[in-house]
């Protein structure tokens, strides 16, 4: 991916998300060591200041707080003060409601209301994942992403359902229509399945 032009890497310690603690620190640290030029954002099992500090010292640029942000919203503000410029909130939604604990539990809290709570804390951005779309290769939830970006003042990183260049083009068009607000998009399975050419997508976003 680096050879194809990738400058930023989204990592998830999925084991950590389920365990509630870091599990794959060694692999993550090795990636950061091998590719110091990469901007790395990491989520999964991040539930304490000590964990955040350890990852930042290992070379991770941004940590994504997910379940902990839902359970203890005040934790986000505290971490923004302690590690300014390094905190992203990850909100996973199903039908507009927040999911947590590796998507095992859907709450009665709306994505929008929680996002609005965090925007004054000093977070860098919000990664918004539509879990009904994620990994399904059925297209990104453009409407929900746009609605969220219109509602809050911090950048939104779109995630879930990205399939091909049409999704990239649609998100870029939406960002232009909003005059900013959607700062990026995460793609995973589409690259593995070969339905999205990463190098082409990077070139397109840079040139448009």
């Amino acid at each position: 991916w680096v050879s194809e032009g990738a400058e930023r890497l989204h990592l998830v310690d999925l084991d950590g998300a389920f365990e509630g603690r870091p599990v794959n620190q060694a692999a993550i640290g090795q990636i950061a060591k091998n590719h110091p030029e990469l901007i790395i954002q990491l989520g999964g099992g991040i539930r304490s200041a000590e964990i955040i500090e350890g990852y930042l010292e290992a070379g991770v640029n941004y940590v994504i707080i997910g379940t902990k942000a839902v359970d203890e919203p005040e934790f986000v503000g505290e971490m923004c003060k302690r590690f300014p410029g390094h905190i992203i909130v990850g909100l996973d939604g199903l039908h507009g409601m927040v999911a947590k604990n590796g998507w095992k539990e859907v709450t009665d809290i709306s994505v929008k209301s929680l996002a609005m709570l965090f925007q004054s804390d000093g977070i860098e951005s919000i990664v918004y994942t539509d879990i009904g779309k994620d990994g399904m290769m059925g297209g990104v939830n453009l409407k929900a992403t746009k609605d969220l970006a219109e509602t809050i003042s911090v950048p939104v990183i779109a995630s879930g359902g990205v399939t091909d260049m049409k999704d990239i083009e649609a998100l870029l068009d939406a960002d232009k229509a909003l005059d900013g607000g959607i700062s990026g998009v995460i793609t995973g399975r589409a690259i593995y399945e070969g339905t999205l050419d990463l190098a082409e997508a990077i070139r397109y976003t840079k040139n448009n």
Side-chain angles (χ1 to χ4, degrees), residues 106-176:
V106 179
T107 70
D108 57 0
I109 306 165
S110 78
V111 171
K112 281 186 182 180
S113 65
L114 200 54
M116 290 174 70
L117 185 67
F118 295 131
Q119 64 181 346
S120 61
D121 283 335
I123 60 174
E124 290 301 295
S125 57
I126 285 179
V127 173
Y128 170 61
T129 303
D130 183 321
I131 66 175
K133 292 277 190 178
D134 192 69
M136 302 305 291
M137 305 287 285
V140 72
N141 190 334
L142 189 62
K143 182 181 185 304
T145 304
K146 285 172 63 178
D147 285 350
L148 183 60
E150 284 178 322
T151 302
I152 60 176
S153 57
V154 296
V156 173
I157 299 174
S159 174
V162 174
T163 305
D164 53 32
M165 280 300 299
K166 290 179 182 176
D167 291 312
I168 306 298
E169 292 164 7
L171 284 164
L172 201 57
D173 288 344
D175 181 57
K176 289 177 182 176

Side-chain angles (χ1 to χ4, degrees), residues 13-198:
D13 182 350
L14 200 54
D15 298 309
F18 285 109
E19 293 286 336
R21 59 176 179 79
V23 175
N24 293 294
Q25 308 104 303
I28 292 160
Q30 196 61 51
I31 292 170
K33 182 179 178 181
N34 291 347
H35 298 281
E37 76 283 9
L38 269 181
I39 296 170
I40 298 174
Q41 60 186 51
L42 168 73
I46 296 172
R47 311 281 167 89
S48 72
E50 291 73 25
I51 292 169
I52 293 171
E53 188 170 35
Y55 276 132
L56 294 178
E57 288 178 351
V60 171
N61 304 90
Y62 300 103
V63 293
I64 303 168
I65 303 173
T67 294
K68 183 82 169 181
V70 181
D71 290 339
E72 297 178 38
E74 65 277 5
F75 178 75
V76 173
E78 292 167 5
M79 293 306 100
C80 285
K81 289 175 184 173
R82 185 161 174 178
F83 307 104
H86 295 286
I87 304 298
I88 293 174
V89 166
L91 294 180
D92 305 325
L94 184 65
H95 307 307
M97 309 310 283
V98 174
K100 64 177 186 176
N101 292 323
W103 304 352
K104 291 183 292 186
E105 181 183 345
V106 179
T107 70
D108 57 0
I109 306 165
S110 78
V111 171
K112 281 186 182 180
S113 65
L114 200 54
M116 290 174 70
L117 185 67
F118 295 131
Q119 64 181 346
S120 61
D121 283 335
I123 60 174
E124 290 301 295
S125 57
I126 285 179
V127 173
Y128 170 61
T129 303
D130 183 321
I131 66 175
K133 292 277 190 178
D134 192 69
M136 302 305 291
M137 305 287 285
V140 72
N141 190 334
L142 189 62
K143 182 181 185 304
T145 304
K146 285 172 63 178
D147 285 350
L148 183 60
E150 284 178 322
T151 302
I152 60 176
S153 57
V154 296
V156 173
I157 299 174
S159 174
V162 174
T163 305
D164 53 32
M165 280 300 299
K166 290 179 182 176
D167 291 312
I168 306 298
E169 292 164 7
L171 284 164
L172 201 57
D173 288 344
D175 181 57
K176 289 177 182 176
L178 293 168
D179 195 24
I182 302 173
S183 63
V185 54
I186 294 167
T187 178
R189 186 175 175 185
I191 305 174
Y192 304 137
E193 299 283 354
T195 61
L196 180 69
D197 184 309
L198 180 62

